Amino acid sequence: MRLPLLAFALAACAARDVQVIAHRGASWDAPEHSFAAYDLALRQGADWIEQDLQMTRDGQLVVFHDDSLDRTARGPAADCAGLVRDKTLAQLRRCEIGSWFNEKFPGRARPEFSAERIPTLAEVIERYGDRARFYIETKNPAEAPGMEDSLLVLLRKHGLAGAGADRERVLVQSFSPASLERLHALEPELRLVQLWEDPIPAAARDSTLKRIAEYAVGFGPSRRILNADLVRGAQRRGLVVHPYTVNDEPVMSYMLELGVDGMFTDRPALLLRLLGR
């Protein structure tokens, strides 16, 4: 992007307060979905920290990206391998989630990462209280019946949904329209974001965005499908646009030029620096 365009884009960003969303925390520099990654993201100044939800066999909501434990969990095989939904919370307590990061990224490794554990969503909310805003994703909701109900119980308990809720501190996203529509039916004031991975044909763009705007306040497209027409179309429907996952400065600059309202990044410090924050 030419320098004058970048300067113009950054000035526009300052005017509209582009949101910096720490994807799985500051997961470039610390193990994803760990307290270490969330602590770092907040120290850096991220506006939001993201939590991916899985449900255990005994109905507990834990913060973990994959449906399988195999990539990032380490510990006894009976407890720390296989599907999250096949394990109880007690089993997951025996797993750590930092050694894989130290092995994969030796230049960013820290010995203390090997002590990180799989947190529950309740623990994340309790730890950060009013210091953070929570961007929660329902993962694999079709394989976890009742996930939406359990999430709402938890949000209401902590004053993040229901009567008198601080609604500005929570966004709930999903690739599943059915999951979001259920949440909207149960809690119409909860702010929702529809994730989207595949290109939308131009002929279907407006009708698709119109349908999303019936239950959501935001549109979360893959950065790979985003263009100016899609951004403008979503914003005309009243949807904020938060693409995922943007880790390189040239792509961040391009997203800002397109006029996005925020973006997911593993590197919140880099985006904050680009925004002059």
Side-chain angles (χ1 to χ4, degrees):
M1 180 169 52
R2 293 176 300 171
L3 186 58
L5 284 176
L6 176 57
F8 178 81
L10 291 176
C13 292
R16 70 176 184 273
D17 190 24
V18 170
Q19 298 293 285
V20 177
I21 306 156
H23 181 244
R24 311 181 200 176
S27 56
W28 185 270
D29 294 304
E32 63 187 57
H33 289 321
S34 67
F35 286 143
Y38 291 140
D39 289 348
L40 180 58
L42 293 175
R43 287 199 302 271
Q44 291 173 344
D47 297 300
W48 299 82
I49 53 174
E50 184 208 22
Q51 298 81 44
D52 291 310
L53 291 191
Q54 303 284 348
M55 182 175 277
T56 65
R57 181 158 57 87
D58 50 346
Q60 301 299 306
L61 294 177
V62 295
V63 178
F64 199 82
H65 178 268
D66 300 358
D67 59 353
S68 170
L69 294 156
D70 296 354
R71 180 174 63 90
T72 61
R74 301 292 182 269
D79 304 314
C80 306
L83 296 175
V84 176
R85 62 179 175 267
D86 290 340
K87 312 298 180 183
T88 65
L89 180 58
Q91 287 180 286
L92 297 184
R93 295 294 194 197
R94 304 185 185 108
C95 311
E96 56 91 356
I97 55 168
S99 294
W100 75 273
F101 183 91
N102 289 343
E103 294 162 3
K104 186 171 183 178
F105 306 110
R108 306 173 210 162
R110 294 188 181 182
E112 60 267 28
F113 287 163
S114 62
E116 293 291 331
R117 294 292 188 267
I118 299 171
T120 65
L121 180 60
E123 289 168 342
V124 172
I125 293 173
E126 289 162 4
R127 180 182 179 95
Y128 298 108
D130 59 5
R131 294 190 292 131
R133 290 191 284 178
F134 306 99
Y135 212 127
I136 302 167
E137 180 178 348
T138 58
K139 301 287 288 188
N140 309 308
E143 285 76 43
M147 176 180 281
E148 295 85 4
D149 304 73
S150 295
L151 173 58
L152 286 175
V153 167
L154 184 59
L155 293 178
R156 288 166 180 155
K157 176 181 177 181
H158 291 279
L160 299 172
D166 186 355
R167 303 185 192 284
E168 298 300 312
R169 290 182 51 225
V170 175
L171 285 167
V172 180
Q173 62 179 344
S174 185
F175 284 101
S176 168
S179 181
L180 295 181
E181 288 171 337
R182 175 161 179 76
L183 284 166
H184 183 65
L186 293 169
E187 187 69 44
E189 299 303 315
L190 188 64
R191 299 192 305 155
L192 308 174
V193 176
Q194 180 65 65
L195 291 169
W196 205 273
E197 184 174 15
D198 298 321
I200 303 173
R205 183 187 304 128
D206 191 59
S207 60
T208 299
L209 295 171
K210 179 182 178 181
R211 175 71 186 110
I212 291 170
E214 292 174 0
Y215 57 85
V217 301
F219 178 58
S222 166
R223 62 179 174 79
R224 296 179 179 85
I225 69 167
L226 202 59
N227 56 49
D229 288 339
L230 190 53
V231 172
R232 286 194 295 266
Q235 291 172 340
R236 278 197 298 267
R237 288 290 177 186
L239 298 166
V240 297
V241 180
H242 293 165
Y244 68 92
T245 301
V246 188
N247 290 329
D248 300 315
E249 186 169 337
V251 184
M252 290 176 178
S253 298
Y254 176 61
M255 294 291 110
L256 296 175
E257 183 185 355
L258 291 179
V260 301
D261 301 288
M263 65 187 86
F264 287 84
T265 179
D266 300 338
R267 307 174 73 182
L270 177 62
L271 179 54
L272 287 158
R273 192 157 58 244
L274 184 62
L275 291 169
R277 291 167 53 190

